[in-house]
Amino acid sequence: MDATVLCASAPNGLPSKSPSVHIGPDSSSPDQLPSSNAETEIRHTSEPNDIRERPTAVSPPVNGAQAVSSARRKDHYQPVDDAYSTRFATKCHPDADAVRAELDAFFGKHWPWPSDNAREKFLEADLYGFACWTCPFARSDRIVDCVKLITLFFLLDDLVEEELSLEDGKALYKRLITLAEGRAQPDRTNPYEWITYDVFAKMRAVDHDLTEAVFRAMALCVTSQVDEERNRSTGMRALLQQRCKESGARFASAVMAYALDLRLSPSEVASITDIEESYSKLAVVINEIKSYDKEVRSFNPNQAGGGTILNMVQTQADDTGCSVAGAKRILWVVCREWELEHLDLVARREASSDGCSETLKAYMKGLEYIMGGNEVWSGYTPRYQLSS
């Protein structure tokens, strides 16, 4: 692998719930995130040989027989389902085990689990691990609330997708947005309401401005998920645009900024629009690939998605006539190409004559950790495995 290092003690090369992966500094201070320039150089000089090497040049053929002989020297394409490893560094938060223990107790006690089996499946999915992998440098005094909020986001998404009608999902999210904004008081007998209200109230007490950014990203995401327009997205471009709007990518980046206490100026935000878009589409497509099997398994034409599986893997397969496996391989190659483009965008922004503050560098590096961490977590969580 290139930058991603998995825990050697876990079965099948998958990280355990107590991962010992540490790439970059051990400190949780955002000012000590690895230098983007240094890591970019390492990544470009440590590419897999089969990517960097080119076929040996041969002399121009003088006749048709030689041309055929030359062509036969090249290896035939062989489909490989295992994608090349990401160039983005990965690291798990050092407090991951303590955070899991605290939130296991919290959600185990307060969430309305329909059965013991449902609670066990939740624990096995390691939803806490997502935030611990995507915010590895979160401040110790903010990590618990960040993980709690992201876990709540997952649980509500499952509730709306799997159990509620489109109209009921709209009504629930409308109520929760009002509570998250602090414009209403929660029903203390309803855990969906009071957990949402309390976590946002606590985060606002710590940092009002950055919490407002988290709230706006969350509100855009959940309202887009129950928007009837999402069912009308056809073709790869339209679906990608819709997915970027409704995905949790912008929500995750806002949580990351809160977790690391990173404040960008309006001009800095405007200067990285292309980097934000690059990050969003990368995060979206990788999530589409990883979650496809789960979506097919749980697909219900009576739910919000109607009679269509709204996943880019299915759309790629339909548009090109490829098999689903082939569509996944195509999308993996697209993602790896986008990674190269993303690193180039970051390098150019850091070298810009406008200057690049340490805060902006830390934020852009944080986006890379979100993408790399999401890929690691998605690769081992039973949430996305067909056998779960």
Side-chain angles (χ1 to χ4, degrees):
M1 288 188 176
D2 190 20
T4 303
V5 179
L6 301 181
C7 179
S9 62
N12 300 321
L14 301 179
S16 66
K17 283 195 175 184
S18 302
S20 58
V21 178
H22 297 285
I23 300 178
D26 291 332
S27 168
S28 62
S29 169
D31 294 334
Q32 299 183 29
L33 266 70
S35 164
S36 249
N37 287 334
E39 290 205 2
T40 300
E41 181 179 352
I42 292 172
R43 292 169 184 134
H44 284 282
T45 58
S46 61
E47 294 174 283
N49 290 334
D50 53 353
I51 294 179
R52 292 177 57 83
E53 292 181 355
R54 296 293 182 263
T56 303
V58 296
S59 300
V62 296
N63 55 47
Q66 284 187 325
V68 172
S69 176
S70 174
R72 286 175 179 169
R73 293 176 191 169
K74 298 179 181 179
D75 292 336
H76 294 294
Y77 166 74
Q78 295 293 336
V80 178
D81 291 333
D82 293 334
Y84 291 117
S85 60
T86 178
R87 286 173 168 78
F88 299 136
T90 59
K91 174 182 171 67
C92 193
H93 196 281
D95 296 338
D97 288 341
V99 170
R100 285 190 183 97
E102 180 174 342
L103 294 182
D104 273 351
F106 177 84
F107 282 103
K109 178 180 180 181
H110 298 297
W111 195 256
W113 303 109
S115 65
D116 290 340
N117 183 57
R119 183 179 182 279
E120 287 303 313
K121 286 182 67 176
F122 162 77
L123 295 176
E124 291 172 1
D126 189 29
L127 300 186
Y128 313 134
F130 174 83
C132 292
W133 277 101
T134 56
C135 292
F137 296 99
R139 288 173 43 158
S140 295
D141 59 341
R142 299 191 180 194
I143 182 63
V144 171
D145 286 331
C146 291
V147 178
K148 183 184 291 184
L149 179 59
I150 289 176
T151 302
L152 174 66
F153 188 85
F154 273 122
L155 291 171
L156 290 173
D157 180 63
D158 287 346
L159 176 68
V160 171
E161 180 181 338
E162 299 174 7
E163 299 182 31
L164 301 183
S165 66
L166 179 62
E167 291 306 314
D168 288 343
K170 284 183 179 180
L172 175 64
Y173 278 145
K174 182 178 180 180
R175 171 64 175 166
L176 295 183
I177 287 172
T178 302
L179 294 168
E181 199 172 10
R183 293 189 288 113
Q185 292 297 310
D187 176 357
R188 288 287 166 182
T189 65
N190 184 327
Y192 308 138
E193 293 197 5
W194 71 259
I195 294 176
T196 300
Y197 179 89
D198 285 1
V199 70
F200 272 99
K202 185 176 179 182
M203 290 173 64
R204 277 197 181 86
V206 172
D207 194 316
H208 183 275
D209 292 343
L210 291 179
T211 301
E212 283 299 302
V214 173
F215 165 74
R216 290 192 297 271
M218 182 274 294
L220 174 63
C221 178
V222 299
T223 53
S224 297
Q225 288 177 349
V226 290
D227 185 353
E228 293 179 2
E229 287 297 319
R230 75 193 301 262
N231 298 338
R232 302 188 179 100
S233 298
T234 58
M236 289 296 289
R237 177 179 290 274
L239 186 55
L240 178 59
Q241 291 174 340
Q242 176 64 24
R243 276 292 190 250
C244 285
K245 193 167 88 171
E246 71 184 44
S247 78
R250 295 300 175 92
F251 172 67
S253 63
V255 171
M256 178 269 292
Y258 171 90
L260 275 67
D261 192 16
L262 298 176
R263 304 166 192 278
L264 303 183
S265 68
S267 62
E268 286 178 321
V269 172
S271 75
I272 59 168
T273 301
D274 53 352
I275 293 173
E276 293 268 20
E277 291 176 352
S278 172
Y279 150 76
S280 291
K281 68 183 184 181
L282 254 168
V284 162
V285 176
I286 287 176
N287 187 66
E288 294 283 283
I289 297 170
K290 293 289 189 178
S291 66
Y292 175 79
D293 292 336
K294 178 219 172 195
E295 291 184 33
V296 171
R297 185 173 63 247
S298 61
F299 175 64
N300 183 345
N302 296 320
Q303 296 296 326
T308 304
I309 297 177
L310 294 172
N311 185 289
M312 296 186 70
V313 171
Q314 189 65 56
T315 301
Q316 178 72 16
D318 292 342
D319 285 357
T320 62
C322 280
S323 65
V324 166
K328 288 181 180 180
R329 290 191 291 269
I330 292 170
L331 291 176
W332 272 123
V333 172
V334 170
C335 288
R336 295 315 183 214
E337 289 290 336
W338 281 348
E339 280 189 11
L340 292 173
E341 294 179 4
H342 184 92
L343 292 171
D344 183 61
L345 289 172
V346 171
R348 282 190 280 155
R349 179 60 188 87
E350 290 183 340
S352 169
S353 59
D354 295 334
C356 188
S357 68
E358 292 303 312
T359 298
L360 181 54
K361 289 179 182 178
Y363 180 82
M364 292 189 295
K365 179 58 63 178
L367 296 180
E368 294 180 23
Y369 275 103
I370 291 175
M371 290 184 283
N374 173 54
E375 192 167 329
V376 171
W377 177 79
S378 298
Y380 76 81
T381 174
R383 178 182 177 86
Y384 294 152
Q385 307 307 310
L386 190 59
S387 59
S388 65

